[in-house]
Amino acid sequence: MIIDATTRRNLELVANTRDGGRSGTLIEYLDRSRSVLGARRIYRWLLHPLLNVESIQSRHQVVDWLIRAREQRLLVQNALDGFFDLERGAARIELGAISPKELGALRDALIRAGVLKEALVNAAKLPAGLRTLVAKLTAPRDLLDKLTCSLSDEPPYIINEGAIFRAGFDAEIDRLRLMRSDGKRFLADYEVKERESTGIQSLKVKFNNVIGYFLEITTANLSKVPAHYRRRQDTTGAGRFTTEELSKLESEITSADAKLFVRERELFENLRRDLIVFSEPIREIAGLVAEIDALQSFAELAEREDLICPVMNASCSTFILDGRHPVVAGILRERFVPNSLSFNEAGARCGVFTRPKMGGKTNFLPQAGI
C-alpha cells in the first residue's frame, strides 16, 4: 500500500506532529524488536503495509504460533539480543571500510543465526511462513570458516592495534609475535649457544644505545674469538663483537612491531577483498533475521497488550467492535472509552462523524485509519 506523506503525518505512524519525534507514535507502540535489523523491518512494514490477504494471514499465523510457543520465542529473543547489523556490515564490506571488530561481530552474528535456526527448526507445528524463513537461514560455510579460522576471539576496532588474527592462522605472524614477546629469551639462548661453540664462558650478550646488541668478551679470552666475529668496539677490559646471526636477531627483535603491523594489515586487506563476494548472502541472512525479529516483536506485543487477531478480507467491508486507539489507549488505559465502526460493501460506504469538542473525534478518526 502507498501511504502519502500527509497520511503518515496525521496518523503519526513514525513521527509525532508535535516535534517530529518518535514519542507517541504507532511505531513506538509496535516496536518490541531485539535488533537493529528487526526495528528497521518494522519501520518498513509500517510505511508499506501488505495488500495481499494471504500474505497478511501468513504473518498472522506466525505471530499466533509465536504467542503460543513461548519457550521457542524466548530462545529466539535471546539469539536476537544485540544482533549485529548485517546490512550495514555488508555495505561496509563492499566499501572496503569494515573494521576488524565489525568483522568479529559479523562472524558472531552468523553463528547466532545458526542458534536462531536451531531454536525453531525442530519445533512442533511450525507454520509454513516461518518454516520457509528458517529453511533459508544458513550462513555460507566458506564465509563462516574464513572468519572463524582467521579472526581472533576479540579483534580490535583499529587495524594498527594488532591482535586481529588468531594464533596458528599465519606462521609469520606467530613468529613475529613470539619475537616481540620472547626476544630476551632468544638472546639468552643465543648467548648459551655461543659460549658452548667458542668455549668462552665469560661471553655475554649486552646492549647499549650506541651500537645496539653485541657480544662482550674479556681481554683474557680475545685469542679465542672466532674468525667470523666482527669487532664493533674496544673497552679497557673487553672487546665487543657482533655476528651475522646476532645482527639478524637484533633486527627482528627491534622491528618485530613494525613488521607485525605490515603483515597483519596485508592479510586483513586480503580478507576484506575476499569477503566482497559474500555481501549478497549476508544481506539475505539479514533480511531473514529482520523478518523473524519483526514477527516475534508482534507476538510479544500481542501477548502483553492482549490484542486480537483481525479477520482479513479483500472487500470494502470493515467492522471494528470496541476498537481502541493503540497509542492513546496505552496512555489512558482503563479511562479510554472503546468505540465501534462498521462499513458494509453492500451498504454504507462513508459516514459523517459529529461530536462536541473533546468528544473523541481526534482519536476516533486516526484509530480507524490505523
Side-chain angles (χ1 to χ4, degrees), residues 35-36 41 114 126 190 245 271 277 344:
S35 69
V36 175
R41 182 56 57 96
L126 200 67
Y190 177 71
E245 186 177 355
L271 178 61
V277 297
N344 193 310

Side-chain angles (χ1 to χ4, degrees), residues 35-278:
S35 69
V36 175
L37 295 169
R40 195 179 293 137
R41 182 56 57 96
I42 292 171
Y43 184 96
R44 192 177 305 158
W45 281 357
L46 187 55
L47 296 183
H48 305 89
L50 292 177
L51 289 173
N52 183 276
V53 174
E54 291 180 359
S55 299
I56 296 171
Q57 289 171 340
S58 176
R59 282 187 191 169
H60 287 171
Q61 289 167 4
V62 174
V63 172
D64 182 62
W65 184 86
L66 287 167
I67 292 171
R68 290 180 285 104
R70 295 193 77 253
E71 183 178 345
Q72 279 78 15
R73 192 167 89 242
L74 288 173
L75 292 173
V76 167
Q77 290 170 344
N78 289 335
L80 289 169
D81 277 335
F83 203 93
F84 178 67
D85 189 346
L86 292 176
E87 289 179 339
R88 183 175 184 271
R92 288 181 62 77
I93 286 173
E94 290 171 339
L95 292 170
I98 195 163
S99 70
K101 189 174 186 67
E102 288 171 323
L103 274 187
L106 188 148
R107 171 202 60 199
D108 296 343
L110 294 176
I111 293 172
R112 289 170 70 180
V115 174
L116 180 60
K117 181 171 184 172
E118 286 298 315
L120 295 169
V121 68
N122 294 319
K125 298 181 180 179
L126 200 67
L130 192 52
R131 192 184 307 115
T132 301
L133 294 176
V134 171
K136 298 177 182 177
L137 193 61
T138 303
R141 176 48 56 185
D142 290 349
L143 170 61
L144 200 51
D145 287 347
K146 192 178 286 289
L147 294 174
T148 53
C149 292
S150 61
L151 295 174
S152 62
D153 291 338
E154 295 290 338
Y157 190 79
I158 301 172
I159 296 176
N160 60 12
E161 288 181 1
I164 298 173
F165 299 100
R166 66 173 64 254
F169 171 68
D170 181 72
E172 178 65 8
I173 286 178
D174 291 344
R175 187 185 69 81
L176 290 170
R177 284 175 179 168
L178 190 62
M179 186 65 67
R180 183 179 63 179
S181 61
D182 292 354
K184 289 184 178 180
R185 182 172 62 81
F186 291 147
L187 290 169
D189 292 344
Y190 177 71
E191 181 181 285
V192 171
K193 187 186 76 169
E194 289 302 303
R195 280 180 185 174
E196 292 174 351
S197 66
T198 62
I200 305 172
Q201 296 305 309
S202 62
L203 181 149
K204 292 182 180 179
V205 174
K206 292 187 175 181
F207 174 84
N208 67 35
N209 291 327
V210 178
I211 63 172
Y213 287 99
F214 56 86
L215 295 164
E216 185 173 85
I217 301 174
T218 59
T219 302
N221 291 296
L222 289 179
S223 61
K224 299 179 182 179
V225 173
H228 68 277
Y229 276 31
R230 299 195 305 271
R231 188 180 295 274
R232 295 293 306 278
Q233 194 177 55
D234 288 325
T235 63
T236 303
R240 293 172 175 175
F241 301 85
T242 189
T243 65
E244 185 176 343
E245 186 177 355
L246 179 59
S247 297
K248 183 178 179 181
L249 196 58
E250 177 183 12
S251 175
E252 289 180 341
I253 291 171
T254 56
S255 64
D257 273 333
K259 289 180 178 178
L260 185 59
F261 167 72
V262 171
R263 181 62 176 169
E264 286 208 304
R265 187 179 190 90
E266 176 188 0
L267 290 182
F268 185 71
E269 293 295 346
N270 291 341
L271 178 61
R272 284 204 288 208
R273 282 194 294 271
D274 291 345
L275 293 179
I276 291 176
V277 297
F278 294 106

Side-chain angles (χ1 to χ4, degrees), residues 289-301:
V289 171
E291 190 154 343
I292 292 171
D293 193 8
L295 292 167
Q296 76 75 27
S297 172
F298 292 162
E300 183 75 14
L301 174 70

